[in-house]
Amino acid sequence: AGNEMWGGRFAAKPAAIMQEINASIDFDKRLYAEDIAGSKAHAAMLAATGIISPSDEAEIQRGLDLVLGEIEAGTFAFSREREDIHMNVEARLAELIGPAAGRLHTARSRNDQVALDFRLHVKRAFVETEAALGRLILAFLDRAEEHADTVMPGFTHLQVAQPVTFGHHCLAYVEMFARDRSRCRDAIARLDESPLGAAALAGTPFPIDRHRTAAALGFAGPTRNSIDSVSDRDFALEFLSTAAIAATHLSRLAEEIVIWSTPQFGFVRLSDAFSTGSSIMPQKKNPDAAELVRAKAGRITGALVALLTVMKGLPLAYSKDMQEDKEQVFDAIDSIGLSLSAATGMVRDLGVDVAAMRRAAGHGYSTATDLADWLVREIGLPFREAHHVTGRAVALAESTDARLEDLPLDVLRSLHPRIHAGVYEVLSVDASVRSRRSFGGTAPENVRREIAEWRARLG
Ligand code: ARG
């Protein structure tokens, strides 16, 4: 007989290459804790419903604890012949406790078993990702508080647009990462159903209690359709899409850090802890951590596309294609965890050059919109005409390499006779940000109010 599990049907061993393409133990051993927890809950239910005897159950529980102990001690011999984590655990259980082990797989299939293990694992990953996002949000709130009044240029098209506060810029990231967090919560609520007991795909004639195992494993209840239970990988796709969106946010942050830390911008200084030097150029300090965070977004998005592509052609119910779900998800779990930790460290450590930000905020005629708005408010010009007058002011200033506030009053008056000295009050970057008090605007007082609201919301 070739195989411990299905030797009854098979006379010959698998080809070596079959074992190589088929065995998943090298990566799915990561599910050992979930697999054993699922088996323990299943065995307890089988005994409670009279499907197996109390003494067999006791032996199975004892044996599963031994297996868990061996795996955690690093003494468990994982075997590719035993294909995956499910059969590795069950075969070792049989070695340890004998015939009672053979009763564990009653009313169960590897199809519902793997769906269960993977759901539990992804659920935990969502919980951890949500917590890591919370830590990043707190880091941003601290920096926003510190820099509620720090003026920097806001950009569109990476061209200087209007002055903003660095605090407000930090709060933009708070909004993004808070949405990622709420995506984690939504997804947890949706995946919170236990597929255990769906068996191969059709359910089972044994009088099992799926509500009992679902509750024992911390789920809100059992899944409602046995075919869907073993076919569904939406929870994995939702993890990957949530992670891909969060990674995209992290990548935009990383890109800003890379740009801002160049000597040409000089807005921030990277801490030594999150940068590297060059082996040849002694002056260099490179933003490697930010660059790697930026790159992980590509990797995580790749995992999402890979699993969507694996799933799209599969008929119901289980197909072995679905074994390819795990490496993508495991890699994404590790990548998003690392990226979030590195980003949190970088945000906390970032040296902000307030003077350089302020200087840059004053360049590029960033208060031109303030001049146009003033012409509308003070002189009653239609905005389109104010825009035109301001455009001419910018052109004049540019021709003499001056700032808007350096233009003498008679020059401004040549553009419109009713302009008076009060205009200079709106041309400074501080006046500009202070004036933007509309809901959601960049004014320092808005920033302080938003920080307080976020802190209250986060508890
Ligand atoms: N290792 C398999 C997987 O990860 C477990 C389920 C196998 N089921 C089956 N009918 N071959 O998907």
Side-chain angles (χ1 to χ4, degrees):
N3 185 289
E4 294 166 282
M5 298 291 170
W6 49 77
R9 172 74 174 75
F10 281 64
K13 277 182 164 292
I17 196 72
M18 172 56 185
Q19 192 184 97
E20 205 173 319
I21 193 172
N22 195 39
S24 53
I25 188 61
D26 292 341
F27 51 87
D28 69 14
K29 62 179 162 203
R30 180 162 163 157
L31 296 174
Y32 75 88
E34 291 89 349
D35 195 72
I36 291 172
S39 288
K40 289 177 71 83
H42 185 65
M45 181 278 292
L46 290 177
T49 50
I51 299 168
I52 64 171
S53 71
S55 60
D56 282 342
E57 194 233 337
E59 272 302 277
I60 290 170
Q61 298 291 0
R62 187 180 67 83
L64 287 170
D65 287 334
L66 292 174
V67 174
L68 183 65
E70 288 184 359
I71 295 176
E72 284 181 342
T75 57
F76 188 97
F78 289 104
S79 136
R80 283 196 184 149
E81 257 145 60
R82 291 173 177 174
E83 215 179 294
D84 56 25
I85 186 62
H86 324 295
M87 297 203 292
N88 267 266
V89 169
E90 194 185 320
R92 180 65 185 144
L93 182 69
E95 286 168 2
L96 288 167
I97 69 168
R103 301 201 181 271
L104 171 61
H105 211 53
T106 315
R108 185 178 77 169
S109 152
R110 276 189 298 154
N111 297 348
D112 58 339
Q113 197 177 351
V114 74
L116 169 72
D117 295 2
F118 200 31
R119 258 188 206 244
L120 284 169
H121 198 79
V122 170
K123 187 176 171 184
R124 202 178 67 199
F126 266 124
V127 169
E128 280 164 11
T129 304
E130 198 205 321
L133 284 162
R135 289 189 287 275
L136 177 57
I137 288 170
L138 283 180
F140 267 117
L141 286 177
D142 288 347
R143 300 317 303 264
E145 191 151 30
E146 209 181 311
H147 292 286
D149 298 288
T150 300
V151 177
M152 67 178 277
F155 299 91
T156 61
H157 313 265
L158 197 56
Q159 304 285 330
V160 171
Q162 293 174 343
V164 295
T165 56
F166 183 54
H168 196 54
H169 199 94
C170 289
L171 290 182
Y173 281 105
V174 169
E175 295 286 335
M176 293 151 78
F177 293 119
R179 285 195 297 275
D180 294 330
R181 250 181 123 216
S182 82
R183 267 184 278 277
C184 290
R185 283 196 218 113
D186 295 346
I188 291 170
R190 247 185 316 276
L191 72 65
D192 205 15
E193 294 179 339
S194 168
L196 187 60
L201 80 163
T204 171
F206 291 99
I208 59 171
D209 184 350
R210 295 191 57 213
H211 292 272
R212 183 191 171 103
T213 45
L217 292 164
F219 288 103
T223 51
R224 305 194 67 83
N225 179 294
S226 60
I227 297 174
D228 180 54
S229 305
V230 294
S231 311
D232 169 37
R233 291 295 181 271
D234 288 4
F235 59 90
L237 291 171
E238 285 201 61
F239 181 81
L240 293 175
S241 57
T242 302
I245 295 171
T248 300
H249 294 156
L250 289 167
S251 182
R252 295 179 78 173
L253 167 67
E255 172 69 359
E256 294 203 316
I257 291 174
V258 169
I259 293 173
W260 290 352
S261 62
T262 59
Q264 288 74 15
F265 267 76
F267 289 4
V268 299
R269 284 175 313 278
L270 293 165
S271 70
D272 289 354
F274 286 98
S275 37
T276 58
S278 159
S279 56
I280 174 169
M281 296 166 282
Q283 87 282 11
K284 291 277 271 182
K285 194 164 174 186
N286 293 325
D288 293 39
E291 292 168 294
L292 289 164
V293 167
R294 190 171 59 183
K296 297 284 185 204
R299 185 164 167 162
I300 294 169
T301 300
L304 170 63
V305 174
L307 186 56
L308 283 169
T309 311
V310 165
M311 295 305 295
K312 70 171 274 295
L314 298 187
L316 309 187
Y318 178 87
S319 295
K320 194 63 171 263
D321 309 52
M322 288 159 76
Q323 178 165 286
E324 294 278 319
D325 54 8
K326 285 169 215 68
E327 284 162 291
Q328 302 298 340
V329 170
F330 293 160
D331 189 72
I333 291 172
D334 296 341
S335 297
I336 195 69
L338 258 178
S339 293
L340 284 167
S341 301
T344 304
M346 279 189 285
V347 168
R348 288 220 173 274
D349 276 18
L350 215 54
V352 177
D353 190 333
V354 173
M357 281 188 173
R358 162 173 293 275
R359 227 178 298 122
H363 288 154
Y365 308 101
S366 65
T367 58
T369 316
D370 297 85
L371 173 54
D373 289 344
W374 184 88
L375 292 168
V376 171
R377 278 200 320 272
E378 280 287 313
I379 306 201
L381 294 189
F383 183 77
R384 278 296 148 223
E385 195 183 332
H387 186 288
H388 187 77
V389 170
T390 306
R392 288 176 59 211
V394 170
L396 269 177
E398 208 169 33
S399 69
T400 57
D401 217 8
R403 301 176 307 168
L404 279 178
E405 58 266 51
D406 299 331
L407 293 176
L409 191 56
D410 57 321
V411 173
L412 288 171
R413 280 215 173 108
S414 74
L415 299 172
H416 197 285
R418 287 174 55 209
I419 293 178
H420 57 79
V423 71
Y424 292 105
E425 279 162 36
V426 302
L427 294 182
S428 80
V429 293
D430 291 286
S432 174
V433 297
R434 262 201 317 274
S435 71
R436 287 182 156 66
R437 283 187 300 259
S438 55
F439 187 80
T442 194
E445 66 182 79
N446 283 13
V447 170
R448 292 205 177 78
R449 195 178 332 112
E450 277 301 304
I451 294 167
E453 289 201 8
W454 274 115
R455 291 211 194 277
R457 220 172 294 160
L458 295 169

